């Protein structure tokens, strides 16, 4: 299994920790549901993950788990959630080129090392220190007049809920 797209399915539950067992997963899209609870730390085990979107209409809480081992991650979208705490170290994410992390309660500093690879980012610059916010075009604070992109449209959406166990 390389991709899971359960976007826009009105899921009202937590993300199971067993998601960390899907070691070949490259794409996880869970946006625009009713997901709650924390993003499981087991996400860090998905070293092939390239795309993670848990944005909008979810009410995920807790801290953002470590992302330092997700070296293939190119797209991270966690905006519009109830995440709090310190931003994890993104310094080792050499492939990350899109980052959407606003309308959360995350605080801290995003390491300068990702500024070389980031092409597009929307960050709560009042809460999170990031030299990328002012150093490059395409990287902005969300209070500017432009709108960020919407989550990637989906097709062939399944209507099932997340299984209790992932095998």
């Amino acid at each position: 299994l390389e991709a899971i797209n359960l976007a826009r399915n009105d899921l009202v539950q937590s993300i199971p920790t067993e998601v960390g067992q899907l070691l070949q997963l490259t794409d996880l899209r869970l946006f625009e549901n009713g997901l709650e609870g924390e993003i499981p730390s087991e996400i860090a085990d998905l070293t092939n993950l390239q795309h993670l979107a848990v944005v909008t209409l979810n009410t995920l809480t807790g801290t953002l788990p470590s992302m330092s081992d997700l070296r293939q991650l190119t797209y991270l979208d966690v905006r519009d959630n109830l995440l709090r705490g310190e931003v994890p170290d993104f310094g080792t994410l050499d492939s990350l080129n899109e980052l959407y992390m606003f309308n959360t309660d995350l605080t801290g500093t995003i390491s300068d090392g990702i500024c070389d690879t980031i092409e597009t980012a929307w960050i709560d610059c009042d809460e999170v220190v990031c030299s990328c916010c002012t150093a490059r075009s395409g990287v902005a604070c969300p209070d500017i007049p432009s709108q960020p992109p919407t989550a990637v449209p989906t097709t062939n959406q399944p209507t099932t809920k997340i299984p209790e166990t992932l095998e």
Side-chain angles (χ1 to χ4, degrees), residues 108-162:
T109 302
I110 295 177
S111 54
D112 293 341
I114 68 164
C115 289
D116 293 336
T117 61
I118 292 287
E119 294 175 11
T120 305
W122 289 72
I123 300 165
D124 277 332
C125 297
D126 291 337
E127 306 291 328
V128 177
V129 176
C130 176
S131 63
C132 301
C133 286
T134 56
R136 306 217 21 231
S137 62
V139 180
C141 303
D143 57 6
I144 64 173
S146 301
Q147 293 292 317
T150 58
V152 177
T154 61
T155 57
N156 300 326
Q157 298 174 27
T159 56
T160 57
K161 66 181 210 165
I162 297 174

Side-chain angles (χ1 to χ4, degrees), residues 76-98:
L76 176 61
D77 195 343
V78 296
R79 64 186 144 128
D80 297 325
N81 277 290
L82 302 175
L83 298 170
R84 59 176 160 51
E86 290 287 315
V87 174
D89 181 19
F90 292 127
T92 58
L93 301 182
D94 299 334
S95 298
L96 189 65
N97 58 37
E98 290 188 63

Side-chain angles (χ1 to χ4, degrees), residues 26-103:
T26 61
D27 194 333
L28 181 57
R29 299 175 194 222
L30 301 172
F31 58 87
E32 295 183 16
N33 282 295
L35 295 172
E36 51 194 29
E38 297 188 8
I39 298 173
S41 60
E42 289 80 2
I43 290 281
D45 296 336
L46 303 177
T47 57
N48 291 312
L49 196 64
Q50 298 170 15
H51 188 113
L52 176 59
V54 292
V55 57
T56 310
L57 303 179
N58 292 320
T59 54
L60 296 169
T61 58
T63 59
L64 194 57
S66 171
M67 303 274 173
S68 61
D69 289 335
L70 303 182
R71 290 187 169 85
Q72 296 185 47
L73 192 67
T74 61
Y75 182 98
L76 176 61
D77 195 343
V78 296
R79 64 186 144 128
D80 297 325
N81 277 290
L82 302 175
L83 298 170
R84 59 176 160 51
E86 290 287 315
V87 174
D89 181 19
F90 292 127
T92 58
L93 301 182
D94 299 334
S95 298
L96 189 65
N97 58 37
E98 290 188 63
L99 174 62
Y100 303 96
M101 193 175 60
F102 65 91
N103 201 17

